[in-house]
Amino acid sequence: MQYQQLGNTGVFVSRLCLGAMTFGGGATAVWQAIGALGQQDTDTLVGQSLDAGINFIDTANVYGGGESEIQVGRALGARRKEVVLASKVFGRTGLGANQVGLSRLSILQEAEASLQRLNTDHIDLHQIHGFDTLTPLEETLGALTHLVRQGKVRYIGCSNLAAWQIMKALGISAVQHLEKFITLQAYYSIAGRELEREITPMLEDQKMGLLTWSPLAGGLLSGKFTRANAGDGDSRRSKFNFPPVDLERAYDIVEVMQAVAARRNATVAQVALAWQLHKPFVTSVIIGAKNTSQLKDNLGAVDLNLDAEDMQQLDEISKLTPEYPGWMFGVQGSDRRPGQVRDWSRLTKVATK
């Protein structure tokens, strides 16, 4: 296993993070489609992950209707100190008017509930699971800071936020001497690279870590789905069409991944994960295995070395269509150094795409 610093902290986490979204929730159709694994399966996957060197586990208060946190806590048991344990808060946990969101009331109540379910006295990384349009960021950050100063949370992070929202939060933290977000958890896959437009440059500039969820695009990049084969009806993607993906573009990408996988004696899923692990702005890739064979396959991605040719082919087939202001940056910066001449042909290349 390989390890990387968690944002700008001195903490190291494994390049693969065990996602706990597949644990629990068997009574609800959505969670059944995602996984709904029982305690025994959770124990097995957590144990094998720790034995393989994974020291990072991510869950949320809403996963499995709260059962995910319970099962993770039980599975860790005496091995709790071996892991960096992350959870999230924001989603609705009940019918009450305040059982949702990022108000001080909600954050503090949900933190206590998560600690109890996880059977631990602290959460190592507590993340807001989205942006609350009704609660001021000052209130949210103040509540999270309170948890850190109480010793119930070690670090704070965010998930599913836009670049401007993150920068606004960092500014508030700096001015008001509040804890700041050290990580962003966001959707990122070789079939969904929109994050690279605004967010990853911001993360690198601010020295924040990136934790990527759904790196296989809900199973679409697992190797089971091609133009000729829509996958089996038992797969998660067949039951739960999420996250949204341009299928035709994704099938083009899968075909190139198949070629790379054949050259490297690897699986398509391993290529999709390894491609992310070769990106310098990715801290840890969150995997959501439903069985031991999937976990073993995912773990193999860490040892898969893609060379420059592999990366060039994968980057080329999956590259984003240039958008403003990105294409303007390239033109205006082309003559910034002495001796350079402005390259207006960049605009022609954009227009023909």
Side-chain angles (χ1 to χ4, degrees):
M1 183 55 62
Q2 301 167 7
Y3 302 88
Q4 189 150 314
Q5 278 183 268
L6 186 65
N8 200 28
T9 76
V11 176
F12 283 82
V13 295
S14 48
R15 296 300 310 281
L16 293 181
C17 170
L18 180 64
M21 196 175 181
T22 58
F23 302 162
T28 306
V30 171
W31 298 114
Q32 287 176 358
I34 293 172
L37 300 181
Q39 188 64 57
Q40 185 174 350
D41 289 329
T42 300
D43 292 345
T44 299
L45 290 173
V46 169
Q48 290 184 357
S49 296
L50 298 185
D51 291 343
I54 288 179
N55 74 338
F56 196 15
I57 297 179
D58 177 77
T59 184
N61 63 339
V62 295
Y63 288 174
E67 291 179 13
S68 174
E69 288 184 326
I70 293 173
Q71 292 181 194
V72 167
R74 289 174 178 169
L76 285 175
R79 302 185 73 175
R80 166 65 181 92
K81 292 183 179 180
E82 297 180 29
V83 304
V84 175
L85 184 58
S87 192
K88 298 183 285 294
V89 58
F90 175 62
R92 182 168 289 282
T93 57
L95 298 178
N98 294 305
Q99 290 182 287
V100 63
L102 298 173
S103 66
R104 174 180 290 271
L105 175 65
S106 179
I107 287 176
L108 297 185
Q109 285 182 341
E110 289 302 321
E112 295 295 342
S114 288
L115 289 170
Q116 184 174 2
R117 286 191 293 264
L118 288 165
N119 191 30
T120 186
D121 63 355
H122 71 278
I123 297 169
D124 297 303
L125 177 64
H126 205 31
Q127 306 151 101
I128 61 170
H129 211 163
F131 185 74
D132 187 346
T133 59
L134 301 180
T135 305
L137 279 168
E138 291 86 349
E139 179 178 347
T140 296
L141 291 165
L144 293 170
T145 298
H146 180 68
L147 289 171
V148 172
R149 292 172 182 172
Q150 280 187 314
K152 295 178 179 179
V153 168
R154 298 294 187 254
Y155 300 99
I156 66 172
C158 58
S159 179
N160 304 319
L161 265 61
W164 73 265
Q165 294 166 337
I166 298 171
M167 284 305 302
K168 181 176 180 180
L170 293 177
I172 291 170
S173 294
V175 170
Q176 299 193 13
H177 305 289
L178 300 173
E179 292 294 317
K180 68 176 184 177
F181 296 138
I182 64 163
T183 56
L184 168 69
Q185 185 175 144
Y187 166 61
Y188 184 62
S189 76
I190 194 171
R193 298 176 60 181
E194 291 81 4
L195 213 64
E196 296 176 21
R197 295 195 189 281
E198 297 279 349
I199 292 180
T200 58
M202 179 273 300
L203 295 177
E204 291 186 295
D205 178 72
Q206 297 298 309
K207 296 181 173 55
M208 289 179 63
L210 174 61
L211 318 175
T212 61
W213 58 262
S214 206
L216 300 181
L220 184 64
L221 306 177
S222 64
K224 297 179 181 178
F225 294 83
T226 64
R227 278 194 177 87
N229 180 16
D232 59 72
D234 205 30
S235 65
R236 168 184 162 181
R237 188 81 197 187
S238 299
K239 300 176 182 178
F240 187 49
N241 192 22
F242 180 84
V245 174
D246 181 337
L247 285 179
E248 288 305 310
R249 180 171 175 273
Y251 290 147
D252 289 339
I253 295 169
V254 168
E255 289 173 1
V256 174
M257 289 199 298
Q258 287 174 325
V260 173
R263 287 201 303 269
R264 297 296 170 191
N265 193 28
T267 66
V268 171
Q270 288 173 342
V271 171
L273 296 174
W275 174 83
Q276 286 205 28
L277 293 172
H278 281 67
K279 296 296 181 181
F281 48 76
V282 174
T283 303
S284 188
V285 177
I286 302 173
I287 56 174
K290 292 198 293 185
N291 53 59
T292 55
S293 61
Q294 287 182 356
L295 177 62
K296 183 178 180 181
D297 184 77
N298 289 175
L299 288 168
V302 177
D303 297 319
L304 178 57
N305 292 315
L306 302 177
D307 63 19
E309 180 183 358
D310 296 329
M311 291 298 293
Q312 190 278 328
Q313 291 178 358
L314 294 169
D315 284 340
E316 180 65 23
I317 192 63
S318 64
K319 67 182 179 182
L320 296 169
T321 301
E323 287 186 354
Y324 179 83
W327 52 257
M328 196 61 182
F329 295 158
V331 172
Q332 291 181 320
S334 61
D335 64 347
R336 178 62 181 83
R337 293 181 179 277
Q340 292 180 327
V341 178
R342 178 160 293 190
D343 183 8
W344 290 102
S345 67
R346 289 173 179 261
L347 293 181
T348 304
K349 294 174 183 176
V350 171
T352 57
K353 291 186 183 296

PDB file of all heavy atoms in Angstrom, residues 324-337 340-347:
ATOM      1  N   TYR A 324     -14.631  28.403 -21.810  1.00  0.00           N
ATOM      2  CA  TYR A 324     -14.210  29.709 -21.314  1.00  0.00           C
ATOM      3  C   TYR A 324     -14.358  29.733 -19.790  1.00  0.00           C
ATOM      4  O   TYR A 324     -15.307  29.169 -19.250  1.00  0.00           O
ATOM      5  CB  TYR A 324     -15.090  30.805 -21.936  1.00  0.00           C
ATOM      6  CG  TYR A 324     -14.744  32.196 -21.465  1.00  0.00           C
ATOM      7  CD1 TYR A 324     -13.713  32.907 -22.059  1.00  0.00           C
ATOM      8  CD2 TYR A 324     -15.431  32.774 -20.409  1.00  0.00           C
ATOM      9  CE1 TYR A 324     -13.384  34.171 -21.607  1.00  0.00           C
ATOM     10  CE2 TYR A 324     -15.111  34.032 -19.951  1.00  0.00           C
ATOM     11  CZ  TYR A 324     -14.080  34.727 -20.556  1.00  0.00           C
ATOM     12  OH  TYR A 324     -13.747  35.978 -20.101  1.00  0.00           O
ATOM     13  N   PRO A 325     -13.415  30.329 -19.033  1.00  0.00           N
ATOM     14  CA  PRO A 325     -12.276  31.119 -19.514  1.00  0.00           C
ATOM     15  C   PRO A 325     -10.999  30.313 -19.729  1.00  0.00           C
ATOM     16  O   PRO A 325      -9.957  30.894 -19.993  1.00  0.00           O
ATOM     17  CB  PRO A 325     -12.093  32.133 -18.388  1.00  0.00           C
ATOM     18  CG  PRO A 325     -12.457  31.372 -17.158  1.00  0.00           C
ATOM     19  CD  PRO A 325     -13.586  30.462 -17.561  1.00  0.00           C
ATOM     20  N   GLY A 326     -11.100  28.980 -19.600  1.00  0.00           N
ATOM     21  CA  GLY A 326      -9.901  28.166 -19.714  1.00  0.00           C
ATOM     22  C   GLY A 326      -9.154  28.349 -21.013  1.00  0.00           C
ATOM     23  O   GLY A 326      -7.918  28.495 -21.021  1.00  0.00           O
ATOM     24  N   TRP A 327      -9.894  28.366 -22.153  1.00  0.00           N
ATOM     25  CA  TRP A 327      -9.186  28.514 -23.422  1.00  0.00           C
ATOM     26  C   TRP A 327      -8.581  29.899 -23.582  1.00  0.00           C
ATOM     27  O   TRP A 327      -7.589  30.086 -24.282  1.00  0.00           O
ATOM     28  CB  TRP A 327     -10.071  28.156 -24.604  1.00  0.00           C
ATOM     29  CG  TRP A 327     -11.424  28.813 -24.716  1.00  0.00           C
ATOM     30  CD1 TRP A 327     -12.626  28.245 -24.428  1.00  0.00           C
ATOM     31  CD2 TRP A 327     -11.713  30.137 -25.186  1.00  0.00           C
ATOM     32  NE1 TRP A 327     -13.651  29.127 -24.677  1.00  0.00           N
ATOM     33  CE2 TRP A 327     -13.121  30.302 -25.148  1.00  0.00           C
ATOM     34  CE3 TRP A 327     -10.934  31.211 -25.639  1.00  0.00           C
ATOM     35  CZ2 TRP A 327     -13.762  31.486 -25.531  1.00  0.00           C
ATOM     36  CZ3 TRP A 327     -11.569  32.386 -26.022  1.00  0.00           C
ATOM     37  CH2 TRP A 327     -12.960  32.512 -25.972  1.00  0.00           C
ATOM     38  N   MET A 328      -9.141  30.895 -22.900  1.00  0.00           N
ATOM     39  CA  MET A 328      -8.580  32.251 -22.983  1.00  0.00           C
ATOM     40  C   MET A 328      -7.271  32.339 -22.198  1.00  0.00           C
ATOM     41  O   MET A 328      -6.348  33.065 -22.590  1.00  0.00           O
ATOM     42  CB  MET A 328      -9.586  33.262 -22.444  1.00  0.00           C
ATOM     43  CG  MET A 328      -9.266  34.692 -22.840  1.00  0.00           C
ATOM     44  SD  MET A 328      -9.278  34.917 -24.638  1.00  0.00           S
ATOM     45  CE  MET A 328      -8.814  36.641 -24.763  1.00  0.00           C
ATOM     46  N   PHE A 329      -7.181  31.592 -21.099  1.00  0.00           N
ATOM     47  CA  PHE A 329      -5.936  31.582 -20.325  1.00  0.00           C
ATOM     48  C   PHE A 329      -4.770  31.134 -21.202  1.00  0.00           C
ATOM     49  O   PHE A 329      -3.668  31.677 -21.141  1.00  0.00           O
ATOM     50  CB  PHE A 329      -6.051  30.639 -19.124  1.00  0.00           C
ATOM     51  CG  PHE A 329      -7.065  31.069 -18.094  1.00  0.00           C
ATOM     52  CD1 PHE A 329      -7.594  30.132 -17.214  1.00  0.00           C
ATOM     53  CD2 PHE A 329      -7.476  32.385 -17.996  1.00  0.00           C
ATOM     54  CE1 PHE A 329      -8.527  30.515 -16.253  1.00  0.00           C
ATOM     55  CE2 PHE A 329      -8.410  32.772 -17.042  1.00  0.00           C
ATOM     56  CZ  PHE A 329      -8.938  31.834 -16.174  1.00  0.00           C
ATOM     57  N   GLY A 330      -5.029  30.068 -22.007  1.00  0.00           N
ATOM     58  CA  GLY A 330      -3.966  29.536 -22.857  1.00  0.00           C
ATOM     59  C   GLY A 330      -3.479  30.534 -23.874  1.00  0.00           C
ATOM     60  O   GLY A 330      -2.276  30.646 -24.139  1.00  0.00           O
ATOM     61  N   VAL A 331      -4.407  31.294 -24.466  1.00  0.00           N
ATOM     62  CA  VAL A 331      -4.026  32.285 -25.478  1.00  0.00           C
ATOM     63  C   VAL A 331      -3.266  33.443 -24.830  1.00  0.00           C
ATOM     64  O   VAL A 331      -2.188  33.841 -25.289  1.00  0.00           O
ATOM     65  CB  VAL A 331      -5.283  32.815 -26.203  1.00  0.00           C
ATOM     66  CG1 VAL A 331      -4.908  33.989 -27.109  1.00  0.00           C
ATOM     67  CG2 VAL A 331      -5.931  31.702 -27.006  1.00  0.00           C
ATOM     68  N   GLN A 332      -3.824  33.992 -23.760  1.00  0.00           N
ATOM     69  CA  GLN A 332      -3.207  35.163 -23.143  1.00  0.00           C
ATOM     70  C   GLN A 332      -1.863  34.844 -22.498  1.00  0.00           C
ATOM     71  O   GLN A 332      -1.006  35.713 -22.384  1.00  0.00           O
ATOM     72  CB  GLN A 332      -4.157  35.757 -22.108  1.00  0.00           C
ATOM     73  CG  GLN A 332      -5.393  36.396 -22.727  1.00  0.00           C
ATOM     74  CD  GLN A 332      -6.297  36.999 -21.684  1.00  0.00           C
ATOM     75  OE1 GLN A 332      -6.504  36.431 -20.609  1.00  0.00           O
ATOM     76  NE2 GLN A 332      -6.858  38.167 -21.993  1.00  0.00           N
ATOM     77  N   GLY A 333      -1.675  33.608 -22.099  1.00  0.00           N
ATOM     78  CA  GLY A 333      -0.414  33.248 -21.453  1.00  0.00           C
ATOM     79  C   GLY A 333       0.650  32.774 -22.411  1.00  0.00           C
ATOM     80  O   GLY A 333       1.796  32.536 -22.009  1.00  0.00           O
ATOM     81  N   SER A 334       0.288  32.632 -23.697  1.00  0.00           N
ATOM     82  CA  SER A 334       1.227  32.051 -24.661  1.00  0.00           C
ATOM     83  C   SER A 334       2.415  32.954 -24.980  1.00  0.00           C
ATOM     84  O   SER A 334       3.434  32.488 -25.487  1.00  0.00           O
ATOM     85  CB  SER A 334       0.483  31.682 -25.958  1.00  0.00           C
ATOM     86  OG  SER A 334      -0.095  32.837 -26.558  1.00  0.00           O
ATOM     87  N   ASP A 335       2.317  34.264 -24.718  1.00  0.00           N
ATOM     88  CA  ASP A 335       3.452  35.164 -24.989  1.00  0.00           C
ATOM     89  C   ASP A 335       3.936  35.847 -23.717  1.00  0.00           C
ATOM     90  O   ASP A 335       4.541  36.920 -23.765  1.00  0.00           O
ATOM     91  CB  ASP A 335       3.071  36.210 -26.041  1.00  0.00           C
ATOM     92  CG  ASP A 335       1.953  37.137 -25.557  1.00  0.00           C
ATOM     93  OD1 ASP A 335       1.319  36.818 -24.524  1.00  0.00           O
ATOM     94  OD2 ASP A 335       1.718  38.174 -26.209  1.00  0.00           O
ATOM     95  N   ARG A 336       3.667  35.223 -22.572  1.00  0.00           N
ATOM     96  CA  ARG A 336       4.010  35.850 -21.298  1.00  0.00           C
ATOM     97  C   ARG A 336       5.511  35.921 -21.062  1.00  0.00           C
ATOM     98  O   ARG A 336       6.009  36.860 -20.451  1.00  0.00           O
ATOM     99  CB  ARG A 336       3.327  35.085 -20.148  1.00  0.00           C
ATOM    100  CG  ARG A 336       3.635  35.608 -18.755  1.00  0.00           C
ATOM    101  CD  ARG A 336       3.155  37.044 -18.578  1.00  0.00           C
ATOM    102  NE  ARG A 336       3.470  37.562 -17.257  1.00  0.00           N
ATOM    103  CZ  ARG A 336       4.636  38.073 -16.900  1.00  0.00           C
ATOM    104  NH1 ARG A 336       5.642  38.106 -17.775  1.00  0.00           N
ATOM    105  NH2 ARG A 336       4.815  38.538 -15.670  1.00  0.00           N
ATOM    106  N   ARG A 337       6.259  34.951 -21.544  1.00  0.00           N
ATOM    107  CA  ARG A 337       7.712  34.939 -21.337  1.00  0.00           C
ATOM    108  C   ARG A 337       8.428  35.665 -22.471  1.00  0.00           C
ATOM    109  O   ARG A 337       7.942  35.684 -23.607  1.00  0.00           O
ATOM    110  CB  ARG A 337       8.222  33.500 -21.225  1.00  0.00           C
ATOM    111  CG  ARG A 337       7.727  32.771 -19.981  1.00  0.00           C
ATOM    112  CD  ARG A 337       8.283  31.352 -19.908  1.00  0.00           C
ATOM    113  NE  ARG A 337       7.824  30.679 -18.696  1.00  0.00           N
ATOM    114  CZ  ARG A 337       8.386  30.800 -17.496  1.00  0.00           C
ATOM    115  NH1 ARG A 337       9.458  31.588 -17.350  1.00  0.00           N
ATOM    116  NH2 ARG A 337       7.917  30.152 -16.450  1.00  0.00           N
ATOM    117  N   GLN A 340       8.515  34.903 -26.592  1.00  0.00           N
ATOM    118  CA  GLN A 340       7.361  34.149 -27.049  1.00  0.00           C
ATOM    119  C   GLN A 340       6.431  35.032 -27.879  1.00  0.00           C
ATOM    120  O   GLN A 340       6.409  36.251 -27.723  1.00  0.00           O
ATOM    121  CB  GLN A 340       6.574  33.567 -25.863  1.00  0.00           C
ATOM    122  CG  GLN A 340       7.328  32.484 -25.099  1.00  0.00           C
ATOM    123  CD  GLN A 340       6.518  31.943 -23.935  1.00  0.00           C
ATOM    124  OE1 GLN A 340       5.755  32.665 -23.306  1.00  0.00           O
ATOM    125  NE2 GLN A 340       6.694  30.665 -23.649  1.00  0.00           N
ATOM    126  N   VAL A 341       5.686  34.408 -28.784  1.00  0.00           N
ATOM    127  CA  VAL A 341       4.715  35.096 -29.629  1.00  0.00           C
ATOM    128  C   VAL A 341       3.341  34.535 -29.333  1.00  0.00           C
ATOM    129  O   VAL A 341       3.176  33.315 -29.192  1.00  0.00           O
ATOM    130  CB  VAL A 341       5.046  34.917 -31.127  1.00  0.00           C
ATOM    131  CG1 VAL A 341       3.987  35.609 -31.992  1.00  0.00           C
ATOM    132  CG2 VAL A 341       6.435  35.464 -31.427  1.00  0.00           C
ATOM    133  N   ARG A 342       2.344  35.421 -29.217  1.00  0.00           N
ATOM    134  CA  ARG A 342       0.995  34.955 -28.890  1.00  0.00           C
ATOM    135  C   ARG A 342       0.497  33.945 -29.928  1.00  0.00           C
ATOM    136  O   ARG A 342       0.559  34.187 -31.133  1.00  0.00           O
ATOM    137  CB  ARG A 342       0.029  36.130 -28.789  1.00  0.00           C
ATOM    138  CG  ARG A 342      -1.414  35.711 -28.492  1.00  0.00           C
ATOM    139  CD  ARG A 342      -2.249  36.837 -27.923  1.00  0.00           C
ATOM    140  NE  ARG A 342      -1.799  37.221 -26.598  1.00  0.00           N
ATOM    141  CZ  ARG A 342      -2.480  38.046 -25.796  1.00  0.00           C
ATOM    142  NH1 ARG A 342      -3.626  38.552 -26.210  1.00  0.00           N
ATOM    143  NH2 ARG A 342      -2.015  38.355 -24.606  1.00  0.00           N
ATOM    144  N   ASP A 343      -0.019  32.823 -29.439  1.00  0.00           N
ATOM    145  CA  ASP A 343      -0.458  31.722 -30.299  1.00  0.00           C
ATOM    146  C   ASP A 343      -1.973  31.775 -30.478  1.00  0.00           C
ATOM    147  O   ASP A 343      -2.730  31.175 -29.722  1.00  0.00           O
ATOM    148  CB  ASP A 343      -0.031  30.386 -29.679  1.00  0.00           C
ATOM    149  CG  ASP A 343      -0.390  29.202 -30.558  1.00  0.00           C
ATOM    150  OD1 ASP A 343      -0.825  29.419 -31.700  1.00  0.00           O
ATOM    151  OD2 ASP A 343      -0.227  28.056 -30.095  1.00  0.00           O
ATOM    152  N   TRP A 344      -2.408  32.515 -31.512  1.00  0.00           N
ATOM    153  CA  TRP A 344      -3.846  32.635 -31.773  1.00  0.00           C
ATOM    154  C   TRP A 344      -4.435  31.344 -32.330  1.00  0.00           C
ATOM    155  O   TRP A 344      -5.662  31.172 -32.346  1.00  0.00           O
ATOM    156  CB  TRP A 344      -4.111  33.777 -32.743  1.00  0.00           C
ATOM    157  CG  TRP A 344      -3.872  35.119 -32.132  1.00  0.00           C
ATOM    158  CD1 TRP A 344      -2.786  35.923 -32.311  1.00  0.00           C
ATOM    159  CD2 TRP A 344      -4.725  35.816 -31.213  1.00  0.00           C
ATOM    160  NE1 TRP A 344      -2.897  37.078 -31.580  1.00  0.00           N
ATOM    161  CE2 TRP A 344      -4.079  37.040 -30.884  1.00  0.00           C
ATOM    162  CE3 TRP A 344      -5.954  35.517 -30.641  1.00  0.00           C
ATOM    163  CZ2 TRP A 344      -4.636  37.962 -30.018  1.00  0.00           C
ATOM    164  CZ3 TRP A 344      -6.510  36.453 -29.768  1.00  0.00           C
ATOM    165  CH2 TRP A 344      -5.859  37.654 -29.460  1.00  0.00           C
ATOM    166  N   SER A 345      -3.593  30.425 -32.774  1.00  0.00           N
ATOM    167  CA  SER A 345      -4.112  29.166 -33.327  1.00  0.00           C
ATOM    168  C   SER A 345      -4.818  28.339 -32.255  1.00  0.00           C
ATOM    169  O   SER A 345      -5.610  27.441 -32.571  1.00  0.00           O
ATOM    170  CB  SER A 345      -2.974  28.350 -33.919  1.00  0.00           C
ATOM    171  OG  SER A 345      -2.075  27.894 -32.913  1.00  0.00           O
ATOM    172  N   ARG A 346      -4.543  28.639 -30.990  1.00  0.00           N
ATOM    173  CA  ARG A 346      -5.220  27.926 -29.909  1.00  0.00           C
ATOM    174  C   ARG A 346      -6.733  28.119 -29.999  1.00  0.00           C
ATOM    175  O   ARG A 346      -7.516  27.214 -29.692  1.00  0.00           O
ATOM    176  CB  ARG A 346      -4.725  28.419 -28.537  1.00  0.00           C
ATOM    177  CG  ARG A 346      -3.294  27.994 -28.203  1.00  0.00           C
ATOM    178  CD  ARG A 346      -2.823  28.664 -26.916  1.00  0.00           C
ATOM    179  NE  ARG A 346      -1.467  28.266 -26.565  1.00  0.00           N
ATOM    180  CZ  ARG A 346      -1.179  27.328 -25.671  1.00  0.00           C
ATOM    181  NH1 ARG A 346      -2.150  26.696 -25.053  1.00  0.00           N
ATOM    182  NH2 ARG A 346       0.074  27.028 -25.379  1.00  0.00           N
ATOM    183  N   LEU A 347      -7.167  29.313 -30.409  1.00  0.00           N
ATOM    184  CA  LEU A 347      -8.588  29.580 -30.531  1.00  0.00           C
ATOM    185  C   LEU A 347      -9.202  28.769 -31.670  1.00  0.00           C
ATOM    186  O   LEU A 347     -10.331  28.277 -31.566  1.00  0.00           O
ATOM    187  CB  LEU A 347      -8.849  31.073 -30.766  1.00  0.00           C
ATOM    188  CG  LEU A 347      -8.503  32.005 -29.614  1.00  0.00           C
ATOM    189  CD1 LEU A 347      -8.833  33.440 -29.991  1.00  0.00           C
ATOM    190  CD2 LEU A 347      -9.242  31.611 -28.350  1.00  0.00           C
TER     191      LEU A 347
END
